[in-house]
Amino acid sequence: MKRMVLIPTFICFAMICGCQKQDSVAEAQLAQRKAELDAREKALDEREKALMEREKPIARFRPIPSDRQSRRPAVDPEQAKAERERKIQQLPPELQALIRDRSLLDARTAEKSTATEDRAVELQRRLEEARRKKMSAITSPSAESSDTQPASPSPSPTPE
């Protein structure tokens, strides 16, 4: 009876010891892999820093975007318009109608902005004429005695 209890106990003990041994081997392998990974990461960081140092002088001499655009050939407006029309023709009819309506809206907006600019030019011209008249009235002594009175820099206080 003692042998029957002793044999399974021995087998269980052997299995537990074997598992613990495998765990320690696995832990050792894990530690080794982690050390290798850390070394690789450090080497990669050093390479990246070296590359950044080499790219700094190069980045200073790269052309700015406006230089790149000036090197591109000019697009023919007629060709661009034809390309736009071709792309519009490929769209479904509903979208084509929306785009054409948008074109009409853009034309109206352009007309309004032109009218606004014309009014601004006219206003500027009138202001310039008024300034010239005022300057001539101030500089000529005969104009002072006429209907125009020189403007004072600040309004005079009215007595209460």
Side-chain angles (χ1 to χ4, degrees):
M1 185 85 176
K2 285 185 180 180
R3 282 189 177 183
M4 289 189 92
V5 174
L6 192 59
I7 292 176
T9 306
F10 182 70
I11 292 173
C12 288
F13 182 71
M15 289 175 70
I16 290 172
C17 290
C19 289
Q20 286 180 350
K21 188 175 184 182
Q22 287 177 356
D23 287 345
S24 64
V25 170
E27 286 177 8
Q29 288 177 348
L30 180 64
Q32 183 182 1
R33 287 181 184 172
K34 186 175 180 183
E36 290 173 358
L37 182 61
D38 289 341
R40 278 193 240 155
E41 283 181 359
K42 188 180 276 188
L44 186 60
D45 287 340
E46 289 174 6
R47 277 195 214 160
E48 189 176 358
K49 286 179 185 177
L51 182 62
M52 293 296 267
E53 290 297 320
R54 283 193 303 180
E55 285 183 352
K56 277 183 184 178
I58 295 171
R60 282 189 237 153
F61 296 112
R62 286 187 181 161
I64 56 176
S66 61
D67 288 347
R68 290 181 189 169
Q69 290 173 353
S70 64
R71 292 180 197 154
R72 293 180 184 158
V75 176
D76 181 29
E78 293 298 320
Q79 184 181 5
K81 191 173 182 179
E83 180 70 19
R84 182 175 184 267
E85 287 298 321
R86 184 185 62 79
K87 287 182 179 179
I88 289 173
Q89 292 299 324
Q90 293 174 350
L91 294 173
E94 308 89 43
L95 294 178
Q96 288 180 14
L98 290 174
I99 291 172
R100 293 196 199 298
D101 290 344
R102 178 67 185 205
S103 299
L104 293 173
L105 179 65
D106 290 343
R108 286 185 214 135
T109 305
E111 289 173 9
K112 286 181 182 178
S113 67
T114 304
T116 304
E117 289 173 7
D118 291 344
R119 277 186 259 142
V121 168
E122 179 65 24
L123 179 63
Q124 185 67 29
R125 185 184 60 77
R126 286 183 188 168
L127 287 173
E128 193 65 32
E129 285 178 9
R131 188 172 61 85
R132 272 192 238 128
K133 284 182 184 178
K134 198 173 197 180
M135 291 301 289
S136 66
I138 291 173
T139 56
S140 68
S142 63
E144 247 180 65
S145 60
S146 67
D147 294 338
T148 346
Q149 294 180 353
S152 62
S154 62
S156 62
T158 57
E160 291 182 19

